[in-house]
C-alpha cells in the first residue's frame, strides 16, 4: 500500500490568510510529495489557530489527526509534513516532547520541509542527534512565543493605563453598534445611530418581559439587519444584554498560561458612548435573572402566553407543576399537574388544576393589594459593610507589608503567610464587588407601589385589548414575576409568596405565604359556619332597640 503524506498547515493570525503563508506551505508540501512519489492529503489546516497554548492540539485539525493515529486509522509509515516544528506546537518542551515522541513511536514519520529533516522511530533509534536538534527548535519556538506574549501584555498594560488616564482609543475593535473614526483630533469612538436604536429596542423588549428567543424572532420578522451574521441569534441577544459596553464600560481581557480568558484590572467607565443608561441595563438584566431563576424563559408552543410560567410548584413535594395541554373540546383544557407525580415518583398531589382558574385567582389577589401586608419588616443588615471590608483590606495590606523583610530573607513560613494574605485581599475585594453589584441591582428595582401601578395599568389594557394579546400578556408575566416569588398548588389550597426585597449583600428579607384559595370540605364547612355566625350576630344586633344599645363614652369622661 502506497504511503500517504498528510500536509499540516497552521498559522496563528487570520490576517496571514491574506498573505503568503498558506500558498508557501502548500507549495512546499506538494513539491515534496511529488518528488517522493507519494499521495498528498492537504486537508489538515488550522488557519488562525495559535499553538502557543495548545489550541490546535485540543480542538483543531491536528487534534483530529492525532485521534486518527491513536485509533489506527492512519497507517504506519505515513508522513506528516510541516513547514517546521513550530507549526506543530509552541508549547513548553516538557509538554511537547512526550507527544512528539508518541507520534513517532506510532509509526508516523514527521518531515520538516524547511530543513529537510525526517523524524522516524528507526532513525532516532540509530541516531539521537536529530532529537537534540528538535529540542533546540521547540525551545526556541516556545521562547519566541512567550517573549511575544510578554511584549503584547506589556503593550496592552500601557494602552490600558493611557485609556484610564485620557480615554484614548487603544484598539479599533469596538462593539458592533460603534465605530472608530479618525479626524484632525485623532481617533474617536462614535455610535452608529441606527444600530444604537436596535440595542435600545433589545433592552426595552427584555424589560417588558420578552426572552431572548422572542426578541430574536421579532427582529428577524421585522427584517432588521443583524450586525455580524445573516440573521439574529438568541446567543447574540444574550451577549448584548450582558455586555457592560452598552453602558460605556470597557473591560480588558487576557489569556492566562492555561489558555483561559480572564478580565484584567477594573473596567474603564465612560470609555464608549453609552447606548443605554445604568438603570436600563440593570432592569433588563434583573428581568433576565427572574426568567432564569423561575424557569420562566424559553420557547413554548402555546400561542397564549402563560402568566405564571416557572412560578408554580407542588405544595406537597416542591416539584415544578407541569403545563399540560389536552386540546380543545369538553374533555380538553389546559392544566397544571405535579411533574414528579406524572413521572411516577412519590407524591400524593394527584390534582390537575385548571390553568386559567389558577391565573385568575392569583391575578385577582395581586390586584387586591393583600400581598403588601404579608412581607416582614426588612431585617437589620448582617455581615460586613463595604466600609468594614475596606478596613479589613487595609489591615491585611499593612500586615503583608510587615512580612516583606522576612520574605526577602527566604523565610518559607513568611512566604506562605504573605501569599495567604494576598489571597485574602483578593477575596475581600471580590466581596466588595459583589456588594456594589447587588446595591446597583437593588437601586434599579421598581418599588412595590411602582410595580402595583404597572400591574394595574397592564390589567386595564388587557381588559380593553382582549385576553389574548401576546405582547400585553408577556408584559404582565414579567410584572407578576417581579411581585410573586412562588405559587404553591396543593390538593385543595393555593398559596403564594410575595417576592421579598433584596437587602445588603444580596440577602433577602423574610416573607410569609398567604392562602388565596381553599376548597377542602372542612375549610368550606368552617367558612360556612363562620358566615352563619356573623349573619346571626348581625340579625341579633339589628333586633335590639336603638335606645338599648351601649353608648360609647367620650375619651376623657370619668365614670
Amino acid at each position: 500500500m502506497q504511503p500517504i503524506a498528510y500536509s499540516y498547515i497552521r498559522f496563528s493570525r487570520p490576517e496571514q490568510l491574506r498573505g503568503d503563508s498558506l500558498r508557501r506551505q502548500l507549495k512546499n508540501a506538494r513539491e515534496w510529495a511529488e518528488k517522493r512519489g507519494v499521495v498528498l492529503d492537504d486537508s489538515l489546516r488550522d488557519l488562525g489557530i495559535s499553538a502557543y497554548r495548545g489550541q490546535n492540539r485540543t480542538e483543531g485539525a491536528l487534534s483530529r489527526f492525532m485521534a486518527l493515529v491513536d485509533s489506527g486509522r492512519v497507517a504506519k509509515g505515513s508522513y506528516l509534513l510541516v513547514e517546521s516544528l513550530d507549526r506543530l506546537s509552541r508549547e513548553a518542551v516538557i509538554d511537547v516532547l512526550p507527544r512528539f515522541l508518541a507520534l513517532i513511536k506510532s509509526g508516523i514519520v514527521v518531515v520538516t520541509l524547511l530543513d529537510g529533516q525526517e523524524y522516524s522511530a528507526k532513525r532516532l533509534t540509530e541516531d539521537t542527534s536529530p532529537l537534540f536538534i528538535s529540542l533546540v527548535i521547540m525551545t526556541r519556538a516556545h521562547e519566541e512565543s512567550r517573549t511575544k506574549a510578554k511584549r503584547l501584555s506589556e503593550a496592552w498594560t500601557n494602552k490600558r493605563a493611557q485609556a484610564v488616564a485620557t480615554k484614548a482609543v487603544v484598539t479599533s475593535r469596538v462593539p458592533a453598534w460603534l465605530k472608530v473614526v479618525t479626524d484632525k483630533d485623532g481617533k474617536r469612538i462614535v455610535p452608529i445611530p441606527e444600530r444604537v436604536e436596535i440595542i435600545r429596542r433589545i433592552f426595552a423588549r427584555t424589560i417588558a418581559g420578552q426572552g431572548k428567543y422572542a426578541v430574536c424572532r421579532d427582529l428577524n420578522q421585522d427584517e432588521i439587519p443583524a450586525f455580524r451574521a445573516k440573521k439574529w441569534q438568541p446567543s447574540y441577544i444574550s451577549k448584548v444584554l450582558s455586555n457592560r459596553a452598552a453602558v460605556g464600560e470597557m473591560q480588558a481581557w487576557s489569556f492566562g498560561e492555561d489558555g483561559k480568558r480572564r478580565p484584567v484590572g477594573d473596567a474603564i467607565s465612560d470609555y464608549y458612548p453609552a447606548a443605554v443608561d445604568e438603570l436600563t441595563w440593570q432592569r433588563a438584566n434583573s428581568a433576565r435573572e427572574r426568567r432564569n431563576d423561575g424557569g420562566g424563559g424559553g420557547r413554548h408552543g402555546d400561542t397564549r402566553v402563560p402568566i405564571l410560567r416557572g412560578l408554580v410548584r407542588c405544595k406537597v413535594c416542591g416539584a415544578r407543576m407541569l403545563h399540560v395541554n389536552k386540546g380543545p373540546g369538553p374533555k380538553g383544557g389546559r392544566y397544571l399537574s405535579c411533574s414528579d407525580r406524572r413521572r411516577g415518583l412519590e407524591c400524593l398531589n394527584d390534582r390537575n388544576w385548571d390553568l386559567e382558574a389558577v391565573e385568575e385567582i392569583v391575578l385577582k389577589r395581586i390586584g387586591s393589594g393583600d400581598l403588601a401586608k404579608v412581607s416582614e419588616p426588612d431585617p437589620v443588615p448582617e455581615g460586613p459593610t463595604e466600609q468594614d471590608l475596606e478596613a479589613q483590606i487595609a489591615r491585611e495590606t499593612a500586615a503583608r507589608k510587615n512580612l516583606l523583610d522576612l520574605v526577602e530573607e527566604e523565610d518559607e513560613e513568611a512566604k506562605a503567610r504573605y501569599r495567604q494574605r494576598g489571597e485574602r485581599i483578593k477575596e475581600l475585594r471580590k466581596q466588595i464587588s459583589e456588594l456594589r453589584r447587588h446595591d446597583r441591582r437593588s437601586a434599579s428595582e421598581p418599588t412595590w407601589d411602582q410595580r402595583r401601578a404597572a400591574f394595574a395599568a397592564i390589567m386595564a389594557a388587557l381588559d380593553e385589548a382582549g385576553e389574548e394579546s401576546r405582547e400585553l400578556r408577556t408584559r404582565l408575566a414579567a410584572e407578576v414575576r417581579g411581585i410573586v416569588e412562588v405559587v404553591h398548588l396543593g390538593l385543595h389550597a393555593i398559596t403564594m409568596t410575595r417576592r421579598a426585597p433584596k437587602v445588603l449583600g444580596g440577602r433577602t428579607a423574610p416573607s410569609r405565604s398567604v392562602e388565596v384559595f381553599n376548597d377542602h370540605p372542612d375549610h368550606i364547612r368552617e367558612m360556612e359556619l363562620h358566615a352563619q355566625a356573623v349573619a346571626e350576630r348581625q340579625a341579633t344586633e339589628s333586633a335590639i332597640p336603638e335606645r338599648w344599645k351601649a353608648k360609647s363614652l367620650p375619651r376623657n369622661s370619668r365614670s
Side-chain angles (χ1 to χ4, degrees), residues 42-183:
D42 61 5
S43 63
L44 295 177
R45 302 183 184 185
D46 281 331
L47 311 184
I49 294 181
S50 172
Y52 176 44
R53 297 182 179 89
Q55 185 183 4
N56 62 328
R57 172 178 53 80
T58 58
E59 58 186 68
L62 181 62
S63 68
R64 295 191 293 273
F65 177 76
M66 298 289 285
L68 292 174
V69 171
D70 292 340
S71 66
R73 295 171 65 183
V74 175
K76 292 184 178 182
S78 298
Y79 296 93
L80 178 62
L81 310 183
V82 292
E83 187 176 48
S84 62
L85 288 178
D86 61 6
R87 296 294 177 187
L88 282 178
S89 180
R90 285 180 169 267
E91 295 176 274
V93 172
I94 195 172
D95 296 319
V96 179
L97 187 59
R99 293 191 292 268
F100 178 65
L101 293 177
L103 182 64
I104 293 170
K105 288 173 68 176
S106 299
I108 306 300
V109 181
V110 179
V111 179
T112 52
L113 301 174
L114 276 183
D115 55 11
Q117 291 288 337
E118 296 188 15
Y119 301 90
S120 65
K122 180 180 179 182
R123 183 185 179 193
L124 293 181
T125 301
E126 298 172 351
D127 179 13
T128 57
S129 60
L131 189 58
F132 292 107
I133 296 172
S134 68
L135 284 171
V136 172
I137 295 172
M138 291 175 187
T139 302
R140 185 192 66 206
H142 178 68
E143 287 299 325
E144 286 177 352
S145 291
R146 189 168 67 173
T147 300
K148 186 186 296 183
K150 183 179 179 182
R151 288 173 179 169
L152 284 172
S153 177
E154 291 173 350
W156 270 104
T157 299
N158 292 334
K159 284 184 177 181
R160 186 179 176 281
Q162 187 179 6
V164 172
T166 66
K167 300 294 189 294
V169 179
V170 297
T171 175
S172 296
R173 296 184 63 180
V174 295
W177 57 91
L178 305 172
K179 64 181 179 180
V180 176
V181 297
T182 305
D183 54 25

Side-chain angles (χ1 to χ4, degrees), residues 56 79 255 281 294 328 331 334 355 366 369 401 444 446 448 466 475 479 556:
N56 62 328
Y79 296 93
F255 288 93
W281 192 93
K331 295 185 178 181
R334 299 182 304 157
L355 175 63
I366 293 174
K401 187 177 180 181
S444 73
W448 175 253
R475 289 173 55 195
E479 287 302 325
N556 295 326

